Amino acid sequence: MRRGAALILTAMLLTSCVAALAAGGSELISLSYLNHTYLPDMVNKAGASIQTATQKTYQQVYESLKASQEQYLFQAIGGLSGPAGLLDQRVKQGDMIILPTGSTALLLAGRGTAAYTGSGVIDLTTGQTVPNGGALVEYHRYLAAEQTNAQITITSDTAVVSLEGEGSITPSGETDYNALAAALNTLNIFRGTGTGYGSGYDLERIPTRIEGLVLFLRLLGEEKAALACTSPNPFSDVPDWAKPYVAYAYDKGYTKGIGPSLTTGQPLFGTDIPMEAGEYLTFVLRVLGYQDSGSTPDFTWENALETGRNMGVLTTGEFALLSSKPFLRAQMAYVSYYALDAYRKDNRGTLLDQLSAAGAINADQAAQVRGQVTVKRISE
C-alpha cells in the first residue's frame, strides 16, 4: 500500500509542477521556493488527501495509476514499442514528433525545432517556456505543458531523441542515413564509436582520419589481416586500439601520415583530424582499383569527387551534395553503402562481389539485409 501512496503522491506532485510551469511562462522557478515552500506544502496537502480518502477511492486511483504505468509506451507510426519510460530514437531530417500534454523529449544529437498549440513547451533544464518555433538545445529535456499539442521537427540530416510518454512520429521522405548505417552495421562494415545512445553511430559528427582508414580496410576486406598485424606503428598520435590498423596500412602503402610534429618532430598519422568528402572518396576509389600515384594516376585527392562522378561511383546529385555541405559520418555511411554497387576499374564485378569472393561478406546475408532497405539514392 505504501507503494500505491507513493505513486499517488508522485502523480499529484508532477501534475502540480506541470501546471505551475505552464502558468509561470518564461519566468525561472526559484529552487529555494521549490524546496522549502512549494514541495513541502504539496506533500502536506497530498498526505492529507490520502488520509481522508476512502479505501475504495484509494484503490481505484491506485489501480488506475498502475495500469497507466504498465501501458506507458511511446506509440509511433512505424511500430515503436518497448517498456515504459525513456525510448532512444534515431530520426531523420523532416521527421515530426508529436507530443501531447505530459510527454517529454530530450535531444541527444542533431538539431530540431519545437512548435505548439496550447499552453507551451517547457524547457525543464532551464525552467523556461520555449518560443513557438524555437530551436531545441542538445541535452535539454522538453515537456508538453497542460493542454498542449507539441510538434518537434528534425532539421539536421539525422538526430537522436530520447522520448517519454505518449505520442507519434510522422516520418519524412528525406534520405534515411540511419537505415543505411544500420544495414552496414549488420554486415559488420560500419560500427559504433562507443557513444551510449543512437546505437553509437554518431552520424551527426564529422568523421576522423582514423575512422575513415578503418572503414577503408573493411571495404577492402582486409580488417582481419590488419588486426593480425604485428608490425610496429610508426606514428606517435595513434591510440592503442588503432595501432594494428595503422601499422598494416603503412606497411601496405595505404597511408604515409601527415608529416612530422612541429613540436616533437615525431611522425604523425593525424588520427583526430577531420576527414573531408574528397579524402574519403580517395579511399573508395583506391578500393575499386583506381590509382592516385605513379606515372599515370587515374585521379588525385583534389579531384576525387569529380572522378567518382565520372566513373559512376557517385550520381550527379551525390556529387552536388558532397561538394556543398559538411561531410558527416552520415554521408560516410551513405557513400560506403552505395559503393558496394560500384564496379571495379577492371570491370570484374562490383565491390560487393569482391568482398563476397574474399569471404569478408556473406552474399546471401547481404542480399537479405539490403533487400529490406528502401532508401532511394540521390540522383539529381
Side-chain angles (χ1 to χ4, degrees), residues 293-348:
S293 60
S295 57
T296 56
D298 300 303
F299 72 102
T300 64
W301 72 266
E302 291 93 344
N303 66 8
L305 291 179
E306 290 87 347
T307 301
R309 178 191 57 189
N310 296 338
M311 301 301 178
V313 179
L314 298 177
T315 66
T316 301
E318 291 163 354
F319 169 79
L321 174 74
L322 296 175
S323 301
S324 62
K325 66 182 302 180
F327 185 66
L328 306 177
R329 282 175 57 88
Q331 283 74 44
M332 186 166 71
Y334 179 100
V335 171
S336 302
Y337 182 89
Y338 288 113
L340 296 174
D341 298 320
Y343 276 85
R344 290 176 46 82
K345 179 185 176 181
D346 57 15
N347 286 320
R348 297 175 62 181

Side-chain angles (χ1 to χ4, degrees), residues 149-172:
N149 187 46
Q151 174 183 297
I152 292 177
T153 302
I154 303 304
T155 57
S156 51
D157 290 333
T158 61
V160 182
V161 183
S162 176
L163 305 170
E164 184 175 24
E166 299 177 350
S168 63
I169 298 179
T170 302
S172 72

Side-chain angles (χ1 to χ4, degrees), residues 184-196:
L184 290 177
N185 180 262
T186 302
L187 296 176
N188 205 30
I189 294 177
F190 189 89
R191 299 179 196 158
T193 62
T195 298

Side-chain angles (χ1 to χ4, degrees), residues 54-312:
T54 64
Q55 181 62 30
K56 181 179 179 180
T57 302
Y58 168 85
Q59 192 64 30
Q60 288 176 343
V61 174
Y62 171 71
E63 293 298 333
S64 177
L65 285 170
K66 182 180 179 181
S68 297
Q69 182 186 39
E70 291 174 349
Q71 298 175 5
Y72 195 43
L73 304 176
F74 194 100
Q75 298 298 332
I77 294 175
L80 296 180
S81 62
L86 300 180
L87 292 176
D88 175 349
Q89 298 293 333
R90 270 212 155 275
V91 286
K92 65 183 182 301
Q93 186 174 40
D95 284 358
M96 292 184 293
I97 304 171
I98 307 301
L99 297 178
T101 296
S103 295
T104 70
L106 171 67
L107 183 66
L108 294 169
R111 300 186 304 277
T113 60
Y116 52 83
T117 56
S119 300
V121 172
I122 310 301
D123 183 339
L124 294 178
T125 307
T126 64
Q128 296 180 332
T129 300
V130 179
N132 204 337
L136 303 183
V137 180
E138 284 189 357
Y139 308 120
H140 284 210
R141 182 165 291 283
Y142 297 89
L143 169 73
E146 290 288 341
Q147 300 179 340
T148 294
N149 187 46
Q151 174 183 297
I152 292 177
T153 302
I154 303 304
T155 57
S156 51
D157 290 333
T158 61
V160 182
V161 183
S162 176
L163 305 170
E164 184 175 24
E166 299 177 350
S168 63
I169 298 179
T170 302
S172 72
E174 297 294 329
T175 301
D176 193 349
Y177 296 101
N178 300 309
L180 301 180
L184 290 177
N185 180 262
T186 302
L187 296 176
N188 205 30
I189 294 177
F190 189 89
R191 299 179 196 158
T193 62
T195 298
Y197 53 79
S199 302
Y201 295 160
D202 273 340
L203 301 182
E204 297 73 31
R205 69 167 177 78
I206 298 173
T208 62
R209 275 175 52 83
I210 189 60
E211 291 168 352
L213 176 66
V214 171
L215 197 49
F216 163 66
L217 293 174
R218 289 178 188 153
L219 289 175
L220 275 174
E222 298 181 11
E223 182 179 24
K224 289 184 179 180
L227 290 174
C229 179
T230 58
S231 299
N233 161 58
F235 305 107
S236 62
D237 62 338
V238 178
D240 289 341
W241 70 267
K243 286 180 179 178
Y245 290 104
V246 176
Y248 177 83
Y250 182 77
D251 279 354
K252 298 285 287 186
Y254 297 151
T255 183
K256 297 179 180 178
I258 61 171
S261 167
L262 295 178
T263 56
T264 66
Q266 294 180 318
L268 299 176
F269 172 72
T271 298
D272 296 323
I273 292 178
M275 173 167 276
E276 297 179 354
E279 293 177 281
Y280 189 64
L281 255 295
T282 295
F283 277 154
V284 171
L285 291 171
R286 289 175 183 172
V287 168
L288 295 172
Y290 296 97
Q291 301 294 322
D292 59 331
S293 60
S295 57
T296 56
D298 300 303
F299 72 102
T300 64
W301 72 266
E302 291 93 344
N303 66 8
L305 291 179
E306 290 87 347
T307 301
R309 178 191 57 189
N310 296 338
M311 301 301 178

